[in-house]
Amino acid sequence: MPDKPQDSLLIVDDNEPNRALLAVLLERAGYKAAIAKNGIEALEILRSNDIDLVLLDIMMPGMNGYEVLETMKNDPDLHHIPVVVTSAIGDMDSVVKCIELGAEDYLYKPINRVLLEARVGACLEKKHLMDKEIKQLEELNQMKDHFVRTVSHEMKNPLALIMGYVELLLEDEMVPEGEAREFIISIQRHTQQMGNLIRDLLDLSRIETGMSLDLEATKLAPLIETSIDNFKFLAEKKSITIDYTPPETEVVLTIDPSRVQQVLDNLLSNAIKYTPAKGTVGLSVEVAPERATIRVKDTGLGIPQEVLPRIFDRFYRVQRDDDDATEGTGLGLAIVKAVVDQHGGDIQVETVVGQGSTFNVTLPYRSPPSDENVSSTALPDKANSTR
Ligand SMILES: Nc1ncnc2c1ncn2[C@@H]1O[C@H](COP(=O)(O)OP(=O)(O)O)[C@@H](O)[C@H]1O
Ligand SMILES: [Mg+2]
């Protein structure tokens, strides 16, 4: 007998007598049975109902079983649902193909009642175990996020106090030039790094815990100009030219300005950080009917193709021999990606090692309304950045 609560199974078959027989057998075995006459209908039912297992016929007109299976396995919402294929007796090739495509098991027609119950029961048992494990992992992950958030938050205030006193010591010249002053300057630098890490961790956790965006009609150019102002000093220190081409027409986007500012700050600071002295960083905007693309181009180190997919991961930093001194948390691009996703935008990178990188951020003129976003938040304490 199936587990409680009752499991829902979907029978997919173009042949009416087959469907009817399977439905009776499954209902007698204690399951709920839903029915689809073809592949399209099957996917519709799967997307709008909680189905625990699919009994899938392979040969069907229109969308066949392979296509249903492939669609399911490529859909993150459906790929965990076990599929038992039903095939004509002896049709080994089809069965093998289905198993390769991710089917859990198979049954030959005409369906044998005992085998049906045994295989369905075993598949469901495996699925329930897996569901339980996934749930536990999700809970653990939530606990970890909560822990990181709490610790970061608790560290924020003492750190601000340390920073305040260090500044006081330096500004009021309470400590004269010499070794002690050097030590304090070093404390200041390291405290600043720790502050950046905490700020990034809190930002990311806010974005990921799903508070809403503060969307408003925002002119893009002033955001870019603010970013340039924020990092002009850093560029000048390395004799890097910032080459900004303002958009030809005024671009007004419905976005969360402080978040998008954060995206620009991160990309510009990276471009400057990972470009050797005397290089150039270009900023431009390309306008399309429904979207604007912000382009941040540098003549810097570039990113090896094999690690490119990882640069948006939390804490990931490219290992380089020559830039040991470059400070960073490895969280900047994770934040950038999360914010761009929240706005329904897209980010692309073109890069050649030794020549430079271009980060293209495309944002729709009108972002999806905040409450449609699964994860988003306002960042009241975040506008400037020293990344
Ligand atoms: N413009 C760029 N040029 C070269 N490498 C870059 C660039 N932007 C980011 N990277 C690489 O991607 C990594 C992740 O970036 P990010 O998340 O902003 O972290 P970080 O705090 O290290 O700057 C960086 O450590 C760097 O190795
Ligand atoms: Mg960075």
Side-chain angles (χ1 to χ4, degrees), residues 62-331:
M63 190 186 229
N64 63 27
Y66 305 125
E67 292 168 275
V68 175
L69 199 52
E70 238 175 338
T71 311
M72 282 180 72
K73 293 302 157 187
N74 287 323
D75 183 333
D77 290 333
L78 305 181
H79 78 258
H80 67 288
I81 304 174
V83 175
V84 175
V85 289
T86 54
S87 85
I89 191 142
D91 185 5
M92 183 99 96
D93 288 349
S94 310
V95 167
V96 170
K97 188 167 168 195
C98 286
I99 297 217
E100 279 168 1
L101 286 172
E104 195 69 26
D105 209 340
Y106 68 97
L107 285 162
Y108 284 137
K109 291 188 250 192
I111 302 290
N112 174 295
R113 184 182 62 84
V114 180
L115 266 182
L116 172 75
E117 282 183 26
R119 291 196 165 153
V120 163
C123 280
L124 284 170
E125 201 171 315
K126 252 207 284 194
K127 175 178 186 278
H128 292 317
L129 273 175
M130 200 123 96
D131 286 350
K132 213 167 116 188
E133 271 170 30
I134 291 172
K135 199 162 161 248
Q136 278 169 349
L137 279 175
E138 277 167 359
E139 278 168 11
L140 277 174
N141 205 23
Q142 272 173 13
M143 270 166 68
K144 183 216 68 192
D145 285 348
H146 181 75
F147 172 76
V148 169
R149 201 160 49 246
T150 313
V151 173
S152 313
H153 195 75
E154 291 300 320
M155 279 160 75
K156 220 168 111 173
N157 291 338
L159 207 66
L161 281 174
I162 297 173
M163 293 278 277
Y165 282 118
V166 166
E167 248 163 61
L168 211 65
L169 283 173
L170 292 172
E171 271 171 21
D172 293 358
E173 317 228 320
M174 288 188 215
V175 184
E177 292 293 336
E179 209 176 28
R181 199 177 167 85
E182 291 304 312
F183 290 168
I184 291 173
I185 289 171
S186 177
I187 292 174
Q188 188 181 40
R189 195 162 59 85
H190 291 291
T191 316
Q192 179 71 49
Q193 275 177 38
M194 202 155 136
N196 289 347
L197 175 61
I198 289 169
R199 178 206 55 204
D200 284 356
L201 277 172
L202 283 174
D203 281 354
L204 202 59
S205 114
R206 281 198 198 97
I207 293 168
E208 288 176 348
T209 46
M211 283 146 78
S212 59
L213 290 171
D214 273 339
L215 294 178
E216 52 186 87
T218 310
K219 289 183 192 156
L220 183 57
L223 290 187
I224 298 179
E225 282 148 23
T226 304
S227 222
I228 295 174
D229 269 351
N230 290 341
F231 295 100
K232 225 169 32 198
F233 177 68
L234 207 68
E236 275 163 15
K237 258 189 12 195
K238 291 176 77 178
S239 308
I240 287 174
T241 313
I242 299 183
D243 181 7
Y244 170 47
T245 319
E248 278 167 17
T249 50
E250 186 170 78
V251 179
V252 180
L253 303 173
T254 304
I255 49 175
D256 185 328
S258 66
R259 295 288 181 73
V260 172
Q261 185 74 68
Q262 217 177 344
V263 168
L264 296 170
D265 282 356
N266 268 298
L267 293 180
L268 183 58
S269 80
N270 279 348
I272 297 170
K273 241 173 28 176
Y274 302 108
T275 294
K278 302 201 174 68
T280 304
V281 172
L283 280 159
S284 58
V285 180
E286 190 181 293
V287 184
E290 304 210 332
R291 316 172 73 87
T293 301
I294 307 156
R295 189 155 292 153
V296 184
K297 184 176 159 91
D298 65 53
T299 57
L301 305 173
I303 301 159
Q305 288 298 323
E306 64 271 21
V307 299
L308 201 51
R310 300 192 55 196
I311 59 170
F312 295 102
D313 291 353
R314 296 189 220 182
F315 299 113
Y316 184 79
R317 306 195 70 213
V318 179
Q319 292 289 326
R320 292 189 176 100
D321 307 329
D322 49 351
D323 76 334
D324 286 350
T326 316
E327 283 162 7
T329 61
L331 289 171

Side-chain angles (χ1 to χ4, degrees), residues 19-88:
R19 293 195 297 265
L21 175 66
L22 269 172
V24 171
L25 291 177
L26 291 173
E27 270 159 15
R28 282 211 190 147
Y31 299 111
K32 267 196 281 188
I35 284 178
K37 294 192 273 304
N38 55 53
I40 305 275
E41 209 176 285
L43 291 172
E44 271 167 21
I45 295 176
L46 283 166
R47 292 200 170 109
S48 49
N49 294 276
D50 266 340
I51 299 290
D52 297 292
L53 182 143
V54 181
L55 280 155
L56 180 65
D57 181 26
I58 304 174
M59 296 307 163
M60 292 184 290
M63 190 186 229
N64 63 27
Y66 305 125
E67 292 168 275
V68 175
L69 199 52
E70 238 175 338
T71 311
M72 282 180 72
K73 293 302 157 187
N74 287 323
D75 183 333
D77 290 333
L78 305 181
H79 78 258
H80 67 288
I81 304 174
V83 175
V84 175
V85 289
T86 54
S87 85

Side-chain angles (χ1 to χ4, degrees), residues 338-374:
V339 173
V340 171
D341 282 352
Q342 262 183 309
H343 281 84
D346 178 49
I347 181 160
Q348 300 286 343
V349 192
E350 296 150 32
T351 177
V352 178
V353 173
Q355 291 187 19
S357 312
T358 306
F359 283 75
N360 299 302
V361 172
T362 301
L363 293 172
Y365 275 54
R366 187 160 287 280
S367 294
S370 288
D371 50 6
E372 276 183 20
N373 286 315
V374 200

